[in-house]
Amino acid sequence: MTTQQFVFIGAGHMASSLIGGMVRQGISASTIGACDHNPGKLESLQNQYQIATYADSISAMDAAEVVILAVKPQVMQDLCQTLKKQGNVEGKLFISIAAGIRCEQLQNWLGHVPIIRCMPNLPAKVGEGVTGVYAPEDITASQKQSAERALSSVGQVVWLDNEAAINHIIAIAGSAPAYFFLFMDAMQQYAQELGFSEEQAREMVTHTALGSVKLALNDAQTTLATMCQNVAVKGGTTAEAVQVFEQAGLRETVKQAMQAAIERGQQLERQL
Ligand SMILES: NC(=O)c1ccc[n+]([C@@H]2O[C@H](COP(=O)([O-])OP(=O)(O)OC[C@H]3O[C@@H](n4cnc5c(N)ncnc54)[C@H](OP(=O)(O)O)[C@@H]3O)[C@@H](O)[C@H]2O)c1
């Protein structure tokens, strides 16, 4: 039997994004495996990346050194208890990407195995992810390196020194692609009302977003507030638009939305 270093349990959206990133960054496909109860998802991953696939979690766990738990939070308890019952969790490092489930809870279900908790985001799919990672004190340096190796292949890794900060990462990065999509959608909608086709409106909005992000990344010395002021020169058109956002309380709305995401993460932790 070939030892698979990284095995994903759950081969949905986030697992396939991470697997794609890992393969693109040069982690050998022969050291990656995935297990899911949907044969179609496994077949598609196998065709795309030539990774090993497992229809059952017993053979997946036998092959794994690092197990990446990538199922929805609602089914995590069931999965962990099944894995524990199978009796082959010992000696493996677990990495959970699930929102709302603390390491302590995962250990209640899995037994006392090493667990790293992380929160990736969807841009991992294009290698531009931001992943917050928390490792409890018993995690060794080499276990941290294994996690870093997998997660840094799909973007930036931010190590957190306390588990509560995972919920902050959810608000700042995990949920944030949706905020940007919402803002762009609102702009696209009005561009269409102004008479542009859906295609033209989407193209203009997304490319303006891309260009703005590139400018911000290329000029880390200038604050984002200054970059905004530099476009919004006094008496000009942009200044009028920015004033409308400020007067409508955009900053406070953003803060409240991020707080709502944090509170939901905390609430899930209490429920699950
Ligand atoms: N999507 C995001 O932006 C995002 C961001 C950060 C973190 N996350 C976390 O990532 C995790 C996965 O999210 P996702 O969006 O990738 O979900 P998803 O697309 O639904 O993928 C989960 C997969 O796991 C399968 N599965 C469920 N129970 C299983 C079991 N016992 N054995 C094997 N496979 C099983 C599911 O099959 P069925 O559908 O048939 O049940 C599904 O194919 C979640 O915990 C979420 O909190 C997601």
Side-chain angles (χ1 to χ4, degrees), residues 9-15 35-38 41 57 69-73 75-76 79 97-99 119-122 174:
I9 312 272
H13 293 105
M14 196 41 75
C35 168
D36 197 289
H37 47 216
N38 297 280
K41 288 187 186 171
S57 56
L69 299 171
V71 299
K72 292 275 189 218
V75 297
M76 189 64 90
L79 169 67
I97 68 168
M119 182 47 54
N121 68 1
L122 211 52

